[in-house]
Amino acid sequence: MAIEKALYQLPQGIEALAAEEPEIEIEIEDPESVTIGVDGLEIEIEPTKETDEDFDANLAEQMSEGELTSLAGELIGDFDSDIGSRKDWIQTYVDGLELLGLKIEERAEPWEGACGVYHPILSEALVKFQSETMMSTFPAAGPVKTQIIGKETTEKKEAAERVKDDMNYQLTDVMQEYRPEHERMLWGLGLAGNAFKKIYIDPALDRQVAMFVPAEDIVVPYGASSLETAERITHVMRKTENELKRLQHAGFYRDVDLGEPNNVLDEVEKKIAEKLGFKASTDDRYKILEMHVELDLLGYEHKDKDGKETGIALPYVVTMEKGSNTILAIRRNWEPDDETHQKRQHFVHYGYIPGFGFYCFGLIHLIGAFAKSGTSMLRQLVDAGTLSNLPGGFKTRGLRIRGDDTPIAPGEFRDVDVPSGTMRDNILPLPYKEPSVVLAQLLDKVIQEGRAFASVSDMKVSDMSANAPVGTTLAILERTLKVMSAVQARIHYSMKREFKLLKKIIADYTPEDYSYVPVEGSPRAKKSDYDNVEVIPVSDPNAATMAQKIVQYQAVLQLAQQSPQIYNMPLLHRQMLEVLGIRNAAKLVPMEDDEKPTDPVTENMNVLRGKPVKAFMYQDHQAHIQVHTTGMQNPKIQQILAMNPQIAQMMQAAMTAHINEHVGMEYRKQIEATLGVSIPVIDEEDDEQVLPKSVEVELSRLMAQASTKLLGQAQQEAQAQQAQQQAQDPLIQMQMQELQIKQAEQQRKATKDQVDAILKAQQIAVDQERVATQAKNDADRNKFDALKTAAQMRDEKEKMFIQEAFGALRPEKEKKPKKGD
């Protein structure tokens, strides 16, 4: 091995110290620890516990025997204290086991062969509870259904179906012990009022298991109210030597020698075995205590963010063997990534009727006294009948029956020797009475009250009218089954928690792929499927029995008949089939939501076969509408449909509804195209998804504008289409020709009228111009005439003036004109 040189020089004087170095002794006794001796000083080096071991490692392998022994003593003391705190409860439970009548009792008191029968009220109530609950919680299709987390999408629905199928496959086929364990759990639950399921990974089976744990095998401290808050939970187990060796070989337990088992049963185990008809005094199995406790282990202390120890105890699972007080395993009981160190739950508590403390009350506590009283009175009646039919008494000492003293058979006569007198004088029978009628009535009263108290009495169908409304029948069922419905609701809650634990184990530990090809989706979607869905029991906490569920659905069906248009009838009928336990209800009643996108011809075929069809937003709706319309207008199809008008009417209605669906989606696409944006999609089944008020108001305004614009375009297209269609009709063409002729005549008339109007206007203008010219001419003529007249008058005046002037110059005689001038 190469040794690198030091980077720095050695301190001064180190050589002298090395020369005087004392002798070092190293002793190795334990390969995991080393002891070093220097000058009489011993230094023991223990392996550190702060190692990088696996989180699920067995910490007991790293602890010393002294620590394990001390820890075992403390835990055994706590366990004994917890056992003592529930002594009264366990004693009541043990005493009540006798009332089941599972053991045939040979009584010798008050005489040999006295009646040892038990009244079956307790067993009857228990069997009814187990049977009814088993049918409601574990139907033939499986006990699990799924619930989608968040918004429902197509992918989530398919994932939910895959998870449901896988969980039911695991519980019915892979976990073959689940159903028997579940039935045993229901028996123990009804009897003791408490039952437990333990969910864990079994190393031997290499898979998840859910095992029933009887109430007497789960021990909690006094004052605990639930498994979640209990500071300590102890599971008492019995394992054979071979089972322990398997677990030790697998590394689950420490490989230590436990010796021989104590082979002794405690008092409680003995009493339970005796009450159930078994004779058990020894048991060659090891008694294992698995304790879920909170401890502050040395070397594994809880630390804060600064690395300081806080002294807080952390949850661990400590497994020990009771006989030798040997700890076999200590493991952490929290999730690796959980910084709060919350303890993991491995148990689920089923309760019948909750009481004041941790343990609930069962049928033993509720009707145990009724069963005991009924048993006593029933035995008295049977014994009274026996004594009445076979009476005893006194006889004279000398009276002797010839032969033997065996009872006389019917029709048999025997000889007797009578010492003296008659036979009647030598025999005195005791005055036994017949079975008391009052006692029989009292027995019926006690049993009736017990059945009513336990809610196991049968409802008399004869007391109900056959014509009674469904609501009345439902009200009677609700009143009769109210207590049992509450019990079923508690079981539903506990089963939901059990399935949640199983779901986590299956999702975390199972392979990535399904071991089969699922109906929908890829086989590699397994773990992602479990993250998106929640698993819940298939049982209905609101209906305790199948009869109650059926009556509820009958009431809904009656309401649906009054207004079928507002109900989803296929869904209602499918749920009814599921309640009745009919398998493959989805195939029997197909629904629209189950349909996949198909071409329009296939949709026509589905409508003709009476199958549902569905339109999808991305499809070419106009093409689909055209194919559907032409298909229904096909004369051959119409001829075939005419043979059965009723079916034809149903098909026509289905096709019309489907076409309307395409029309609505096409209208939506046209509105979106007009707006230029996509309209938000609101899931009708999601009640939490609501369009904001401001967005809805603004969107409504935009839609109003877009719808008005779209309406105008549609009207124009409709008018154009109507005109085009009319143009192709011969009658319409003739009418159009006549209309064109009329329009041409009207146009000619209009043109003529227009020309006449123009000519008339021109004539009027000419006339007006002529009138104006005439008026001007007249004015000019008048002016000329005036001027001419004025000129003439001036000429006359001038002439007269001249004449007057010349007349004055002539003589008178000259002035007279001559005759003939």
Side-chain angles (χ1 to χ4, degrees), residues 150-168:
K151 180 182 177 180
E152 288 190 4
T153 60
T154 303
E155 292 77 11
K156 287 185 177 181
K157 290 181 179 179
E158 294 178 354
E161 286 296 322
R162 291 194 293 269
V163 169
K164 183 183 72 172
D165 294 340
D166 184 64
M167 283 287 292
N168 287 322

Side-chain angles (χ1 to χ4, degrees), residues 238 261-266 269-270 281-284 287:
R238 290 280 186 175
N262 286 343
N263 205 18
V264 176
L265 292 175
D266 56 31
E269 292 174 329
K270 288 181 180 180
S281 58
T282 60
D283 193 344
D284 58 353
K287 190 172 185 178

Side-chain angles (χ1 to χ4, degrees), residues 77 87 106 175 274 297 338 362 419 500 534 605 772:
K87 184 177 180 181
E106 298 293 341
M175 302 169 60
E274 291 176 359
L297 296 178
D338 185 8
K500 188 175 182 180
E534 192 70 35
M605 295 171 59

Side-chain angles (χ1 to χ4, degrees), residues 335-354:
E335 296 293 341
D337 55 350
D338 185 8
E339 298 181 355
T340 61
H341 301 86
Q342 298 295 325
K343 66 178 179 180
R344 291 184 293 187
Q345 293 296 330
H346 303 277
F347 298 95
V348 176
H349 183 194
Y350 286 82
Y352 193 81
I353 301 294

